[in-house]
Amino acid sequence: MRKLVLSAIVAAGLTAVGGTAQASGGGEPLMKPGFSWEGVFGRYDKGELKRGFEVFHQVCSNCHGLRLVAYRNLAAVGLDQEEIKTVAAERELPDAPNDEGMVSPRPGRPSDKYIDPFPNEKAAASANGGAAPPDLSLMAKARVGGPNYVYSLMLGFVENPPADHPIPEGKYFNTYFPGNAISMPPQLMEDLVTYADGTKATPEQMAKDITAFLNWAAEPELDERKSMGLKVMIFLLVFTAMLYALKRQIWKNIH
Amino acid sequence: MSGFQTNNKVVSWLDQRLPIFSMMQHSAIDYPTPRNLNYWWNFGSLAGFVLVIMILTGVVLVMNYASHTSMAFDSVERIMRDVNYGWLIRYLHMNGASMFFILVYIHIFRNLYYGSYKSPREVLWWIGIVIYLAMMATGFLGYVLPWGQMSFWGATVITNLFSAFPIVGEPIVTWLWGGFSVDNPTLSRFFSLHYLLPFVIFGLVVLHVWALHTVKSNNPLGVEIKTPADAIPFHPYYTIKDLFGIGVFLMFYLAFVFWAPNFFGEPDNYIPANPMVTPPHIVPEWYYLPFYAILRAFTTDIWIISAKLQGVVAMFGAILILFALPWLDTSKVRSARFRPLYRQFFWLFLIDCLILGYVGGKPAEGILITVGQIATAYYFFHFLVLMPVLGRIEKPKPLPASISAPVLKEKAHA
Ligand code: HEM
């Protein structure tokens, strides 16, 4: 057994090497508010996801796309079929050509992917001072620090940037953005949204909720993954213990 | 330990025409194995187990993957979101690659410690190195397929290495790419080769095991099997031990799959490939980092030999030098247990490799450049100077008369 422990240490050493490869990027150490889905038993909080969707829908979706999430997927954050239909129908897509070959717009359907706010990247960039707002579907996995980065970025705007760090016209100072000058204006003002469940919309509350929603958008399988993991691990523990007992039994006369 | 016998008429009819049952009996049941193998001998069969997992999950992934630059990224995300248990298959494959390398690195260092590469196991060792090279190629090709930012830029940086060779360099790179930059033709051919190579590895593993069964396993004492008392049949002793190892390994592997599936990955690879935006810090997968450090250790051009070319040659040399190890090592004794000096240098070498890995993952700046250069120099010093010299000056401890001798002695004392 001692040998096995040793091998685990070697493996851990190798993985530590892997870990260092991720530590890039810049800026301040991120805030770590602690999220419900962290840890072995972590799960998404349904109320949080729903509130996060409300923030995304009312605020972020004016500039950002969510192209990998279909409207029907929103059932998982607590929208019912009617609500999903309503949200989907808010934006339009070009329909299939009709019998005369004419293409006209049609409202979105639950089976469509979330429709982008801008017709193309050029339009998105020109409406936002030259920087196109990136799609948020995978944002919670696509930055070092993941959800902690999204949370910190949301709360990292500073009104009066340090004098030695001038911010160009049309950009804003954010403590956590690489290089600090971000093209996104500060978003989360007190009571920016009115939550359906009556929760008070403080900036911290909204930052936490939108981060939960974006993490769900990036890892919708998380709940299923972790609960399957627990079952598999319990099975393996028992199974491996039995194999070990069997090994001892078979090897009894050898040593 | 008798040959294959059966009362089943069908089995015996088939076996007389194609002795598949006899072969299994011979190589998986009767195969005489040293009685004293420790748990470090589990890693070969574990690597074989992971190879099977990689091929199975890979074949299922391909059913939903689209190898076109305009679709690859989204097809992978469709696997993650819309294919039943697609996330499980993909995370098994992704983390399986890292596991494969962890296991094979342990397997290789086991061989270094116990001198398993020495006569008569040189060809077995060579096949192992070829497997390792094929694994490196497969891992690199596979990493390009999801067509994220690191896929694209990793492919660009690594293929560009060939441009270091004078005259032929540039044409080789164009030929590899199938164009003038990493683009759709590159992705298609990488996909084709990524599907092919694991089966080549599978064939190489068959050769590897064939060679192993011809020369038999080494063991912690490093003395050959001499009497029947030294060996035990593979089944049931090592079948159950290997199965137990698989159980422990699965817990380690699946802990990553279920709770930290992106631990070994780069966040940048969740951004679709964009030839117009270079990521600030391009790093290869963790298992190449020691070689990446060697590549970058060369910083000054010498005459017409560019620093880049020196780095490329050193990087390939660092692996190819392993082929010569059976002759560079001049010691008559295999196992480090009886080699008091080599045992110390073995650990130093392991630490050196870990340092190289660390340096390879960091931006090449400041003190790390020097650290990388010293570690690179030591890497080659270990093989080219230490290994030949140690065998001559070292006074090995006395070897046991046979594998079973120390065991029997212990029993007598008890
Ligand atoms: C696909 C990857 C590999 C697989 C599936 C594999 C499989 C195996 C198996 C099943 C054994 C017998 C059990 C053991 O001794 O652990 C073995 C032994 C061996 N392997 Fe590998 N191997 C792989 C890669 C390598 C590599 C990369 C090397 C060296 C560069 C290597 C060198 C050896 C040697 C020298 C032995 C004999 C060791 C001894 O008997 O002490 N193998 N391999």
Side-chain angles (χ1 to χ4, degrees):
Chain A
M1 279 317 271
R2 195 179 58 87
K3 302 273 162 73
L4 278 179
V5 172
L6 254 174
S7 61
I9 294 173
V10 173
L14 285 167
T15 55
V17 172
T20 58
Q22 300 190 335
S24 57
E28 294 288 299
L30 300 174
M31 288 190 263
K32 295 193 170 109
F35 297 109
S36 70
W37 63 88
E38 287 170 349
V40 173
F41 302 100
R43 295 284 183 279
Y44 288 129
D45 174 335
K46 277 280 157 63
E48 208 171 57
L49 293 185
K50 179 79 190 298
R51 288 193 301 275
F53 168 72
E54 288 169 17
V55 177
F56 176 78
H57 182 223
Q58 294 172 36
V59 186
C60 322
S61 75
N62 291 313
C63 297
H64 291 280
L66 197 69
R67 62 184 192 90
L68 297 174
V69 175
Y71 290 107
R72 63 181 164 80
N73 299 138
L74 293 171
V77 305
L79 269 65
D80 64 29
Q81 289 310 311
E82 281 314 306
E83 289 171 314
I84 290 177
K85 274 190 194 142
T86 317
V87 174
E90 283 168 2
R91 287 187 181 152
E92 291 187 326
L93 280 177
D95 205 348
N98 68 7
D99 291 347
E100 282 83 49
M102 302 294 287
V103 175
S104 39
R106 66 159 172 86
R109 304 187 186 114
S111 58
D112 290 325
K113 293 282 166 68
Y114 217 106
I115 302 169
D116 284 338
F118 296 101
N120 53 57
E121 203 172 313
K122 287 262 162 60
S126 91
N128 285 283
D135 188 272
L136 294 183
S137 312
L138 285 165
M139 187 54 73
K141 292 207 273 195
R143 294 288 183 279
V144 177
N148 289 327
Y149 173 75
V150 175
Y151 179 86
S152 305
L153 185 81
M154 285 296 104
L155 298 175
F157 289 94
V158 175
E159 242 173 79
N160 303 309
D164 60 337
H165 202 304
I167 293 293
E169 184 65 25
K171 303 230 177 204
Y172 309 85
F173 187 93
N174 190 302
T175 320
Y176 303 99
F177 190 70
N180 296 116
I182 189 168
S183 301
M184 169 165 72
Q187 295 296 320
L188 304 181
M189 310 300 166
E190 196 80 24
D191 290 320
L192 176 69
V193 297
T194 313
Y195 282 130
D197 66 2
T199 307
K200 173 131 181 55
T202 62
E204 286 77 18
Q205 180 70 43
M206 288 184 287
K208 211 156 171 203
D209 294 343
I210 184 65
T211 305
F213 175 74
L214 290 183
N215 204 82
W216 168 82
E219 308 195 284
E221 86 297 342
L222 182 140
D223 280 352
E224 190 192 3
R225 165 154 61 75
K226 291 197 174 180
S227 75
M228 182 192 285
L230 275 180
K231 288 177 212 144
V232 170
M233 223 31 105
I234 291 170
F235 168 79
L236 278 177
L237 267 174
V238 175
F239 186 63
T240 309
M242 279 161 53
L243 287 175
Y244 184 62
L246 196 56
K247 193 245 155 199
R248 292 280 301 246
Q249 175 66 23
I250 290 173
W251 277 74
K252 213 170 48 202
N253 299 324
I254 294 290
H255 288 306
Chain B
M1 286 202 213
S2 53
F4 176 70
Q5 268 146 26
T6 177
N7 293 327
N8 186 317
K9 291 234 169 58
V10 180
V11 170
S12 125
W13 182 89
L14 181 60
D15 201 64
Q16 277 157 22
R17 282 149 185 87
L18 179 73
I20 190 159
F21 294 98
S22 301
M23 193 193 79
M24 292 303 286
Q25 171 91 27
H26 177 73
S27 55
I29 297 182
D30 293 342
Y31 172 61
T33 319
R35 59 189 297 150
N36 62 334
L37 298 187
N38 57 30
Y39 276 105
W40 297 113
W41 264 260
N42 276 50
F43 288 86
S45 72
L46 284 175
F49 176 70
V50 174
L51 178 61
V52 173
I53 292 186
M54 293 307 281
I55 290 180
L56 291 180
T57 52
V59 166
V60 177
L61 284 175
V62 169
M63 295 176 186
N64 288 287
Y65 172 78
S67 64
H68 190 282
T69 52
S70 66
M71 290 185 284
F73 188 91
D74 286 4
S75 72
V76 172
E77 278 305 317
R78 205 184 73 83
I79 292 172
M80 293 296 287
R81 290 156 193 268
D82 294 336
V83 173
N84 288 333
Y85 296 108
W87 57 268
L88 180 60
I89 303 290
R90 170 160 185 246
Y91 280 156
L92 282 172
H93 198 76
M94 242 169 84
N95 288 281
S98 285
M99 293 301 135
F100 204 2
F101 278 94
I102 291 176
L103 295 172
V104 164
Y105 279 134
I106 295 176
H107 189 67
I108 294 176
F109 276 97
R110 188 278 317 266
N111 294 327
L112 293 180
Y113 188 84
Y114 293 111
S116 301
Y117 48 83
K118 286 168 186 278
S119 173
R121 295 185 182 79
E122 304 92 323
V123 173
L124 173 60
W125 169 249
W126 284 351
I127 299 169
I129 302 166
V130 177
I131 291 174
Y132 177 51
L133 285 168
M135 281 172 63
M136 303 257 264
T138 310
F140 165 68
L141 296 168
Y143 196 55
V144 177
L145 301 186
W147 209 243
Q149 272 292 64
M150 260 331 150
S151 302
F152 179 87
W153 290 99
T156 303
V157 169
I158 302 295
T159 47
N160 247 318
L161 292 180
F162 290 93
S163 70
F165 293 100
I167 306 167
V168 290
E170 292 292 342
I172 289 183
V173 174
T174 310
W175 177 73
L176 286 175
W177 285 342
F180 297 103
S181 67
V182 173
D183 206 336
N184 200 48
T186 327
L187 179 60
S188 311
R189 60 187 60 191
F190 278 22
F191 176 49
S192 168
L193 293 174
H194 183 70
Y195 205 140
L196 173 68
L197 279 185
F199 294 93
V200 173
I201 296 180
F202 198 91
L204 287 166
V205 170
V206 170
L207 293 183
H208 193 68
V209 174
W210 186 8
L212 173 75
H213 284 213
T214 307
V215 295
K216 304 286 182 284
S217 293
N218 185 24
N219 65 82
L221 296 176
V223 295
E224 295 291 317
I225 299 174
K226 285 171 194 153
T227 67
D230 292 346
I232 47 181
F234 192 79
H235 181 74
Y237 297 107
Y238 286 106
T239 37
I240 185 64
K241 196 173 175 182
D242 281 347
L243 271 176
F244 169 59
I246 286 180
V248 174
F249 165 71
L250 272 178
M251 287 193 274
F252 179 76
Y253 171 27
L254 296 182
F256 285 101
V257 169
F258 288 120
W259 286 287
N262 294 303
F263 179 83
F264 296 104
E266 283 292 319
D268 277 58
N269 228 23
Y270 283 109
I271 306 170
N274 184 349
M276 313 306 272
V277 180
T278 318
H281 181 202
I282 302 171
V283 278
E285 290 275 78
W286 69 266
Y287 31 84
Y288 308 116
L289 291 179
F291 301 104
Y292 199 50
I294 292 177
L295 172 76
R296 296 189 305 179
F298 296 83
T299 46
T300 32
D301 297 349
I302 302 173
W303 190 45
I304 58 158
I305 306 168
S306 65
K308 191 171 164 190
L309 181 58
Q310 298 162 33
V312 171
V313 170
M315 183 178 74
F316 286 114
I319 301 175
L320 297 183
I321 202 169
L322 293 172
F323 281 104
L325 183 59
W327 297 275
L328 288 173
D329 180 356
T330 51
S331 173
K332 297 270 172 300
V333 174
R334 288 198 189 88
S335 172
R337 260 191 211 181
F338 304 102
R339 300 188 56 189
L341 281 180
Y342 172 66
R343 191 162 60 202
Q344 325 249 350
F345 286 107
F346 167 84
W347 292 109
L348 267 184
F349 178 68
L350 176 63
I351 293 168
D352 187 60
C353 291
L354 291 176
I355 292 175
L356 281 172
Y358 176 81
V359 173
K362 294 280 172 195
E365 44 194 36
I367 179 80
L368 285 184
I369 299 181
T370 320
V371 174
Q373 287 168 337
I374 295 173
T376 300
Y378 187 80
Y379 183 97
F380 288 100
F381 176 76
H382 176 88
F383 286 114
L384 293 175
V385 180
L386 277 177
M387 291 313 280
V389 170
L390 278 182
R392 298 218 173 82
I393 62 171
E394 183 179 51
K395 190 173 168 335
K397 293 198 231 161
L399 292 179
S402 72
I403 293 175
S404 49
V407 183
L408 298 178
K409 219 188 311 173
E410 257 170 52
K411 277 212 178 119
H413 280 291

